[in-house]
Amino acid sequence: MTKKVFIFDDNRDILDLCTLILEGVGYETKTSNTSNNIVNQISTFEPDLILMDNWLPDVGGIEATQELKKHPKYKSIPVIYFSANNDIKTLAETAGAESYLSKPFDIEELEEKVVSLIGR
């Protein structure tokens, strides 16, 4: 069964790039430029992993990740928090994410983090 990754970022280029990279190595992806109604968005796709940007309109990445981590059904979905913020490690910890990735990111590093959390 194909592993699924949901990518949240307000930058269309980042969404397209992550989709290209992850689908290229065999993952199914879905993207959103907002984390509004995060639980509803997740429930329609049931991802194995989430890539969450910090700077999202309305509901930011921290709040959206925290909401997911409180949800009984979705709290175990690993989240890779990614941002160009200098203090990405602290942001990821505050959000409750399992891992983080600094932007701009290395393609191999993205693939390695995804594989380490959910496998191929």
Side-chain angles (χ1 to χ4, degrees), residues 42-89:
I42 293 297
S43 69
T44 64
F45 188 62
E46 301 280 333
D48 297 291
L49 177 81
I50 295 167
L51 283 174
M52 181 67 72
D53 184 30
N54 184 56
W55 301 108
L56 290 162
D58 303 324
V59 179
I62 288 176
E63 187 180 334
T65 303
Q66 289 172 338
E67 185 177 339
L68 276 178
K69 294 301 177 181
K70 290 177 190 168
H71 194 281
K73 184 173 180 182
Y74 302 121
K75 66 182 177 185
S76 62
I77 298 172
V79 174
I80 299 174
Y81 207 76
F82 68 144
S83 176
N85 189 295
N86 290 337
D87 202 12
I88 181 68
K89 184 175 189 243

Side-chain angles (χ1 to χ4, degrees), residues 88-105:
I88 181 68
K89 184 175 189 243
T90 302
L91 293 173
E93 289 170 357
T94 301
E98 282 71 16
S99 189
Y100 62 91
L101 187 62
S102 296
K103 290 180 187 175
F105 55 84

